């Protein structure tokens, strides 16, 4: 169920890293994945979305659970030290 693309870089021509952390359990009370804090629709659509839409989802995740991004941002990409 994981669409973990965390090996990819961010802006500058490479793919947006997937927020998937391999803890794939939907929480009925919130409708969000316990691991990545995405909705089932966001998870299902991820591989078909353009980078702008993926970044929009990442921003929504930050609003839902700020600590869940673990260093990923639109401007700097993934934190290579994490």
């Amino acid at each position: 169920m994981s669409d973990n693309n965390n090996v990819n870089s961010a802006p500058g021509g490479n793919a947006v890293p997937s927020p998937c952390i391999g803890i794939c359990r939907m929480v009925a009370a919130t409708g969000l994945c316990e691991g990545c804090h995405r909705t089932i629709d966001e998870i299902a659509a991820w591989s078909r979305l353009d980078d702008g839409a993926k970044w929009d989802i990442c921003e929504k995740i930050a609003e839902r659970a700020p600590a869940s991004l673990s260093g990923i941002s639109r401007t700097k990409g993934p934190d290579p030290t994490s």
Side-chain angles (χ1 to χ4, degrees):
M1 180 161 184
S2 172
D3 61 354
N4 195 342
N5 296 328
N6 288 329
V7 296
N8 295 325
S9 299
N14 294 320
V16 177
S18 171
C20 179
I21 61 169
I23 301 171
C24 305
R25 289 187 291 264
M26 297 307 292
V27 178
T30 64
L32 301 174
C33 174
E34 182 179 331
C36 68
H37 305 284
R38 291 181 289 173
T39 66
I40 194 71
D41 291 337
E42 291 167 344
I43 294 167
W46 186 264
S47 64
R48 296 183 311 275
L49 297 174
D50 63 27
D51 285 354
K54 289 178 180 180
W55 283 121
D56 289 344
I57 291 172
C58 289
E59 289 170 359
K60 289 178 186 176
I61 293 168
E63 294 168 5
R64 294 171 185 154
S68 71
L69 282 181
S70 66
I72 297 173
S73 77
R74 183 184 289 257
T75 56
K76 68 177 182 153
D79 182 351
T81 62
S82 58

